Coordinates of all heavy atoms in Angstrom, one line a residue:
A1446 N -28.9 -23.0 -21.7 CA -28.9 -24.4 -21.1 C -29.7 -24.4 -19.8 O -30.5 -25.2 -19.6 CB -27.5 -24.9 -20.9
L1447 N -29.4 -23.4 -19.0 CA -30.2 -23.3 -17.7 C -31.7 -23.1 -17.9 O -32.5 -23.6 -17.3 CB -29.6 -22.1 -16.9 CG -30.2 -21.9 -15.5 CD1 -29.9 -23.1 -14.6 CD2 -29.7 -20.6 -14.9
R1448 N -32.0 -22.2 -18.9 CA -33.3 -21.9 -19.2 C -34.2 -23.1 -19.6 O -35.3 -23.2 -19.2 CB -33.4 -20.8 -20.3 CG -34.8 -20.2 -20.6 CD -34.7 -19.2 -21.7 NE -36.1 -18.8 -22.2 CZ -36.6 -17.7 -22.1 NH1 -36.0 -16.7 -21.5 NH2 -37.8 -17.5 -22.5
K1449 N -33.5 -24.0 -20.3 CA -34.2 -25.2 -20.7 C -34.7 -26.0 -19.5 O -35.7 -26.7 -19.6 CB -33.3 -26.1 -21.5 CG -33.2 -25.9 -23.0 CD -32.5 -27.0 -23.7 CE -32.0 -26.4 -25.0 NZ -30.6 -26.8 -25.4
E1450 N -34.0 -25.8 -18.4 CA -34.4 -26.6 -17.2 C -35.6 -25.9 -16.5 O -36.3 -26.5 -15.6 CB -33.3 -26.7 -16.2 CG -32.2 -27.6 -16.7 CD -31.0 -27.5 -15.7 OE1 -31.2 -27.3 -14.5 OE2 -29.9 -27.8 -16.2
Y1451 N -35.9 -24.7 -16.9 CA -37.0 -24.0 -16.2 C -38.2 -23.8 -17.1 O -39.3 -23.6 -16.6 CB -36.5 -22.6 -15.7 CG -35.6 -22.6 -14.5 CD1 -34.3 -22.9 -14.7 CD2 -36.1 -22.4 -13.3 CE1 -33.5 -23.1 -13.5 CE2 -35.4 -22.5 -12.2 CZ -34.0 -22.8 -12.3 OH -33.2 -22.9 -11.2
A1452 N -38.0 -23.7 -18.4 CA -39.2 -23.4 -19.3 C -39.0 -24.1 -20.6 O -37.9 -24.5 -21.1 CB -39.2 -21.9 -19.5
E1453 N -40.2 -24.2 -21.3 CA -40.2 -24.7 -22.7 C -39.7 -23.6 -23.6 O -39.8 -22.4 -23.2 CB -41.6 -25.2 -23.1 CG -42.2 -26.3 -22.3 CD -41.4 -27.6 -22.4 OE1 -40.7 -27.8 -23.5 OE2 -41.4 -28.3 -21.4
P1454 N -39.2 -23.9 -24.8 CA -38.6 -22.8 -25.7 C -39.7 -21.8 -26.0 O -39.3 -20.6 -26.2 CB -38.3 -23.6 -26.9 CG -38.1 -25.0 -26.5 CD -39.0 -25.2 -25.4
Y1455 N -41.0 -22.1 -26.1 CA -42.0 -21.2 -26.4 C -42.5 -20.3 -25.2 O -43.3 -19.5 -25.4 CB -43.2 -21.8 -27.1 CG -43.8 -22.9 -26.2 CD1 -44.8 -22.6 -25.3 CD2 -43.4 -24.3 -26.3 CE1 -45.3 -23.6 -24.5 CE2 -43.9 -25.3 -25.5 CZ -44.8 -24.9 -24.6 OH -45.4 -25.8 -23.8
E1456 N -42.0 -20.6 -24.1 CA -42.5 -19.9 -22.8 C -41.6 -18.7 -22.5 O -40.5 -18.7 -22.7 CB -42.6 -20.9 -21.7 CG -43.7 -21.9 -21.8 CD -43.6 -23.0 -20.6 OE1 -42.5 -23.4 -20.3 OE2 -44.7 -23.3 -20.2
K1457 N -42.2 -17.7 -21.8 CA -41.5 -16.6 -21.3 C -41.2 -16.9 -19.8 O -41.9 -17.6 -19.2 CB -42.3 -15.3 -21.4 CG -42.7 -15.0 -22.8 CD -41.4 -14.5 -23.7 CE -41.8 -14.2 -25.1 NZ -40.6 -14.1 -25.9
V1458 N -40.1 -16.3 -19.4 CA -39.7 -16.5 -17.9 C -39.7 -15.2 -17.2 O -39.0 -14.2 -17.6 CB -38.3 -17.1 -17.9 CG1 -37.9 -17.3 -16.4 CG2 -38.2 -18.4 -18.6
M1459 N -40.4 -15.1 -16.1 CA -40.4 -13.9 -15.3 C -39.7 -14.3 -13.9 O -39.8 -15.5 -13.5 CB -41.9 -13.5 -14.9 CG -42.6 -13.4 -16.2 SD -44.3 -12.9 -16.0 CE -44.1 -11.1 -16.3
I1460 N -39.1 -13.4 -13.3 CA -38.3 -13.7 -12.1 C -38.5 -12.6 -11.0 O -38.8 -11.5 -11.3 CB -36.8 -13.8 -12.5 CG1 -35.9 -14.5 -11.3 CG2 -36.2 -12.5 -12.8 CD1 -34.5 -14.9 -11.7
H1461 N -38.5 -13.1 -9.8 CA -38.6 -12.2 -8.7 C -37.5 -12.6 -7.6 O -37.4 -13.8 -7.3 CB -39.9 -12.2 -8.1 CG -40.0 -11.4 -6.8 ND1 -40.1 -10.0 -6.7 CD2 -39.9 -11.8 -5.4 CE1 -40.1 -9.6 -5.5 NE2 -40.0 -10.6 -4.7
I1462 N -36.8 -11.7 -7.2 CA -35.7 -12.1 -6.2 C -35.9 -11.1 -5.0 O -35.9 -9.9 -5.1 CB -34.3 -11.8 -6.7 CG1 -34.1 -12.6 -8.0 CG2 -33.2 -12.1 -5.7 CD1 -32.7 -12.4 -8.7
S1463 N -36.1 -11.6 -3.8 CA -36.2 -10.8 -2.6 C -36.0 -11.6 -1.4 O -35.8 -12.7 -1.3 CB -37.5 -10.0 -2.6 OG -38.6 -10.9 -2.2
N1464 N -36.2 -10.8 -0.2 CA -36.2 -11.5 1.1 C -37.6 -11.7 1.6 O -37.9 -12.0 2.7 CB -35.4 -10.6 2.1 CG -35.9 -9.2 2.0 OD1 -37.0 -8.8 1.6 ND2 -35.0 -8.2 2.5
F1465 N -38.6 -11.7 0.7 CA -40.0 -12.0 0.9 C -40.5 -11.4 2.2 O -41.2 -12.0 3.0 CB -40.1 -13.6 1.1 CG -40.1 -14.2 -0.3 CD1 -38.9 -14.3 -1.0 CD2 -41.2 -14.8 -0.9 CE1 -38.8 -15.0 -2.2 CE2 -41.1 -15.4 -2.1 CZ -39.9 -15.5 -2.7
R1466 N -40.1 -10.1 2.4 CA -40.7 -9.4 3.6 C -42.0 -8.7 3.1 O -42.1 -8.4 1.8 CB -39.7 -8.4 4.1 CG -38.7 -9.2 5.0 CD -37.7 -8.3 5.7 NE -37.0 -7.3 4.8 CZ -37.2 -6.0 4.8 NH1 -38.1 -5.5 5.6 NH2 -36.5 -5.3 4.0
P1467 N -42.9 -8.3 4.0 CA -44.2 -7.7 3.6 C -44.0 -6.5 2.7 O -44.8 -6.3 1.7 CB -44.9 -7.3 4.9 CG -44.3 -8.3 5.8 CD -42.9 -8.6 5.4
V1468 N -43.0 -5.7 2.8 CA -42.8 -4.5 2.0 C -42.6 -4.9 0.5 O -42.8 -4.1 -0.4 CB -41.6 -3.6 2.3 CG1 -41.9 -2.8 3.6 CG2 -40.3 -4.3 2.5
K1469 N -42.3 -6.1 0.2 CA -42.0 -6.5 -1.2 C -43.3 -6.8 -1.9 O -43.3 -7.0 -3.1 CB -41.0 -7.8 -1.2 CG -39.8 -7.6 -0.5 CD -38.8 -6.6 -1.2 CE -37.6 -6.3 -0.5 NZ -36.7 -5.4 -1.1
R1470 N -44.4 -7.0 -1.1 CA -45.7 -7.3 -1.8 C -45.6 -8.5 -2.8 O -46.0 -8.3 -3.9 CB -46.4 -6.1 -2.4 CG -46.7 -5.0 -1.4 CD -47.3 -3.8 -2.2 NE -48.6 -4.1 -2.8 CZ -49.7 -3.7 -2.2 NH1 -49.8 -3.0 -1.2 NH2 -50.8 -4.0 -2.9
V1471 N -45.0 -9.6 -2.3 CA -44.8 -10.7 -3.2 C -46.0 -11.3 -3.8 O -46.1 -11.8 -4.9 CB -43.9 -11.8 -2.6 CG1 -43.5 -12.8 -3.6 CG2 -42.6 -11.2 -2.0
S1472 N -47.1 -11.1 -3.1 CA -48.4 -11.7 -3.6 C -48.8 -10.9 -4.9 O -49.4 -11.4 -5.8 CB -49.5 -11.6 -2.6 OG -49.8 -10.3 -2.3
D1473 N -48.4 -9.7 -5.0 CA -48.6 -8.9 -6.3 C -47.8 -9.5 -7.4 O -48.3 -9.5 -8.6 CB -48.2 -7.4 -6.1 CG -49.2 -6.6 -5.3 OD1 -50.2 -7.2 -4.9 OD2 -49.0 -5.3 -5.2
V1474 N -46.7 -10.1 -7.1 CA -45.9 -10.7 -8.2 C -46.6 -11.9 -8.8 O -46.8 -12.1 -10.0 CB -44.5 -11.2 -7.6 CG1 -43.8 -12.1 -8.6 CG2 -43.7 -10.0 -7.2
V1475 N -47.3 -12.7 -7.8 CA -48.1 -13.8 -8.2 C -49.3 -13.3 -9.1 O -49.6 -14.0 -10.1 CB -48.6 -14.7 -7.1 CG1 -49.4 -15.8 -7.5 CG2 -47.3 -15.1 -6.3
D1476 N -50.0 -12.3 -8.6 CA -51.1 -11.7 -9.3 C -50.7 -11.3 -10.8 O -51.4 -11.7 -11.7 CB -51.6 -10.4 -8.7 CG -52.6 -10.8 -7.6 OD1 -53.0 -11.9 -7.5 OD2 -53.1 -9.8 -6.9
V1477 N -49.6 -10.6 -10.9 CA -49.2 -10.1 -12.2 C -48.9 -11.4 -13.1 O -49.4 -11.4 -14.2 CB -47.9 -9.3 -12.2 CG1 -47.4 -8.9 -13.5 CG2 -48.1 -8.0 -11.3
F1478 N -48.2 -12.3 -12.5 CA -47.9 -13.5 -13.3 C -49.1 -14.2 -13.7 O -49.2 -14.7 -14.8 CB -46.9 -14.5 -12.4 CG -46.7 -15.8 -13.2 CD1 -45.9 -15.8 -14.3 CD2 -47.3 -16.9 -12.7 CE1 -45.7 -17.1 -15.0 CE2 -47.1 -18.1 -13.4 CZ -46.3 -18.2 -14.5
A1479 N -50.1 -14.4 -12.8 CA -51.3 -15.1 -13.1 C -52.0 -14.4 -14.3 O -52.5 -15.1 -15.2 CB -52.2 -15.1 -11.9
K1480 N -52.1 -13.1 -14.3 CA -52.7 -12.4 -15.4 C -51.9 -12.6 -16.8 O -52.6 -12.7 -17.8 CB -52.9 -10.9 -15.0 CG -53.9 -10.7 -14.0 CD -53.8 -9.3 -13.4 CE -54.9 -9.3 -12.2 NZ -54.7 -8.2 -11.3
V1481 N -50.6 -12.5 -16.6 CA -49.8 -12.6 -17.9 C -49.9 -14.1 -18.4 O -50.2 -14.3 -19.6 CB -48.3 -12.3 -17.6 CG1 -47.5 -12.6 -18.8 CG2 -48.2 -10.8 -17.2

Side-chain angles (χ1 to χ4, degrees):
L1447 183 67
R1448 190 179 164 116
K1449 271 191 204 139
E1450 291 176 24
Y1451 285 81
E1453 298 298 331
Y1455 57 85
E1456 288 175 320
K1457 300 292 181 190
V1458 177
M1459 309 181 97
I1460 193 165
H1461 172 81
I1462 305 178
S1463 78
N1464 49 22
F1465 287 71
R1466 284 188 300 111
V1468 286
K1469 304 288 173 182
R1470 293 181 69 104
V1471 185
S1472 66
D1473 283 1
V1474 171
V1475 179
D1476 272 359
V1477 174
F1478 174 71
K1480 287 167 188 163
V1481 172

